[in-house]
Amino acid sequence: MPLPGSAQRWAAAAGSWGCWLLALLLLLVTGPGGASEITFELPDNAKQCFYEDIAQGTKCTLEFQVITGGHYDVDCRLEDPDGKVLYKEMKKQYDSFTFTASKNGTYKFCFSNEFSTFTHKTVYFDFQVGEDPPLFPSENRVSALTQMESACVSIHEALKSVIDYQTHFRLREAQGRSRAEDLNTRVAY
Amino acid sequence: MAGVVGRGLPAMGRPALLLLVMCAAGAQGLYFHIGETEKRCFIEEIPDETMVIGNYRTQMWDKQKEVFLPSTPGLGMHVEVKDPDGKVVLSRQYGSEGRFTFTSHTPGEHQICLHSNSTRMALFAGGKLRVHLDIQVGEHANNYPEIAAKDKLTELQLRARQLLDQVEQIQKEQDYQRYREERFRLTSESTNQRVLWWSIAQTVILILTGIWQMRHLKSFFEAKKLV
């Protein structure tokens, strides 16, 4: 709705400054959260590491699944900035680990296929740091959400979990499918 | 500031957008190290007509200072994207910081490969490169604040748009699932056929070998005057 001239000017100025301030705050305090979902190939006798800078107090979740290769297992290791091992599992097919960052710094997680002599593995992982960035980074979020808005938020969360289940289903199905295709070629020879 | 006033919302939106982009650039959280000639590939299994946006940023290791330089001009990364049939969809050289986008036209496993193509190989010598990478697929690739500013949507409309995009992604994934299930079924049928033919062939060969052996033995015994 149209505002009177001076109010409009003030609103525009306040809005711009608000945006600048908020963005600056975001850059300084914590990076906006988010998720990284990556599928990569791990050659035999190889180890691959990924790093992320996390602020203290952020709740993070690491979830991984082996899609193809051998016995579908991989070693996974998660370390905090001081090198302390937060999570270490050998020959695991699928796991999910949630932790809260106790200190600022670079967290490192590695996947190792060093125990395997000739099978390449395809590994999927989903590393969620903090919450998803909000839809509206600007404006005052002090006002409570209306019923419609909170209904939208709950639908959004429910759909996110549907998409998540679909991803896991697709990965499981990919396992079965790749085995079936291997069998098909092997039977011919 | 005075000149900015008369345009209302878009003027407010523009600096916000710029900063959001800056935020997004700083927010490429996940990173990994690659060697100079190493090629790293990532797999994205996606339904068709899905947009994928990848953002990356590279930093070079400085041997003297033992630290990663914040940004190095002159570094380049070659990005290659292959579709499930092996055909190259995108093959381009980008700078030390880049953003690549592609839309899938066939459902299946797409392969995104990155390798550095540095013009300063001499400085590299045994060094490593830190690559910040962020790949967003489908609905996650949409930039909602930008869409809100462009189409002038209210908050509720934007939320509804987000929900619509999510539901569309779910539908596409389900269609892809149907396609995958059909492929799996065909593979199983083919394996079944092959196993059947193989067992028939084996039985026939066995019978023929048996008959040949009997004949051979019979003639052998007759020759030796035992029968």
Side-chain angles (χ1 to χ4, degrees), chain B residues 1 13 24-25 30 70 80 117 218 223:
Chain B
M1 212 45 124
L30 196 73
E80 193 180 58
N117 202 348
K218 195 171 163 193

Side-chain angles (χ1 to χ4, degrees), chain B residues 124-166:
Chain B
F124 236 136
K128 22 179 223 250
L129 199 65
R130 177 179 285 183
V131 181
H132 297 249
L133 184 66
D134 181 42
I135 299 177
Q136 300 292 343
V137 174
E139 183 262 331
H140 297 288
N142 289 341
N143 187 350
Y144 287 103
E146 192 184 309
I147 293 173
K150 190 168 69 110
D151 297 340
K152 299 187 184 41
L153 299 172
T154 65
E155 186 173 332
L156 208 56
Q157 285 174 328
L158 191 68
R159 286 192 191 276
R161 172 74 70 93
Q162 190 188 36
L163 294 175
L164 284 172
D165 289 339
Q166 275 188 305

Side-chain angles (χ1 to χ4, degrees), chain B residues 85-141:
Chain B
D85 305 319
K87 203 175 63 148
V88 174
V89 170
L90 175 74
S91 177
R92 262 186 68 177
Q93 175 84 13
Y94 292 88
S96 69
E97 210 170 303
R99 181 190 155 104
F100 55 91
T101 311
F102 69 93
T103 305
S104 60
H105 297 293
T106 15
E109 275 188 7
H110 289 70
Q111 212 182 35
I112 301 168
C113 289
L114 295 164
H115 68 94
S116 80
N117 202 348
S118 177
T119 52
R120 288 149 64 154
M121 282 299 198
L123 279 174
F124 236 136
K128 22 179 223 250
L129 199 65
R130 177 179 285 183
V131 181
H132 297 249
L133 184 66
D134 181 42
I135 299 177
Q136 300 292 343
V137 174
E139 183 262 331
H140 297 288

Side-chain angles (χ1 to χ4, degrees), chain A residues 5 8-9 11-13 15-17 19-20 23-24 26-27 31-32 35-41 47-53 106 109 122 125 127 134-137 139 141 145-146 148-149 152-153 155-156 159-160 162-163 166-167 169-171 173-174 176-177 180-181 183-185 187-188, chain B residues 1 4-6 8 11-12 15-16 18-20 22-23 26-27 29-33 38 40-46 109 111 132-136 139-140 144-145 148 153-156 158-160 162-163 166-167 169-171 173-174 176-177 180-181 183-184 187-188 190-191 194-195 198:
Chain A
Q8 199 175 33
R9 222 169 292 150
S16 304
W17 281 113
C19 293
W20 279 98
L24 209 61
L26 281 173
L27 277 174
S36 310
E37 257 187 351
I38 287 186
T39 311
F40 66 97
E41 198 177 287
K47 177 170 160 174
Q48 270 184 22
C49 294
F50 295 87
Y51 309 80
E52 180 138 7
D53 296 327
T106 306
F109 57 99
T122 311
F125 74 85
F127 193 52
L135 208 56
F136 294 93
E139 288 130 61
R141 268 283 117 233
L145 297 171
T146 66
M148 284 289 277
E149 284 166 7
C152 284
V153 168
I155 296 175
H156 175 65
L159 290 180
K160 264 210 308 209
V162 170
I163 292 175
Q166 276 190 326
T167 305
F169 180 75
R170 185 189 72 219
L171 294 174
E173 186 267 340
R177 190 162 30 97
E181 280 166 6
L183 187 65
N184 193 30
T185 41
V187 157
Chain B
M1 212 45 124
V4 156
V5 164
M12 242 195 317
L18 181 64
L19 284 153
L20 282 168
M22 277 168 63
C23 273
L30 196 73
Y31 61 86
F32 54 91
H33 298 143
E38 212 180 315
R40 279 287 173 94
C41 290
F42 300 96
I43 299 165
E44 286 295 335
E45 193 172 355
I46 44 181
E109 275 188 7
Q111 212 182 35
H132 297 249
L133 184 66
D134 181 42
I135 299 177
Q136 300 292 343
E139 183 262 331
H140 297 288
Y144 287 103
L153 299 172
T154 65
E155 186 173 332
L156 208 56
L158 191 68
R159 286 192 191 276
Q162 190 188 36
L163 294 175
Q166 275 188 305
V167 168
Q169 191 179 347
I170 290 171
Q171 275 183 313
E173 184 77 32
Q174 289 191 320
Y176 178 44
Q177 194 197 312
R180 284 192 323 260
E181 189 269 337
R183 258 189 60 185
F184 180 72
T187 310
S188 301
S190 160
T191 307
R194 285 186 189 182
V195 165
W198 180 236

Side-chain angles (χ1 to χ4, degrees), chain B residues 68-79:
Chain B
F68 279 93
L69 304 170
S71 69
T72 322
L75 277 182
M77 287 290 269
H78 186 90
V79 177

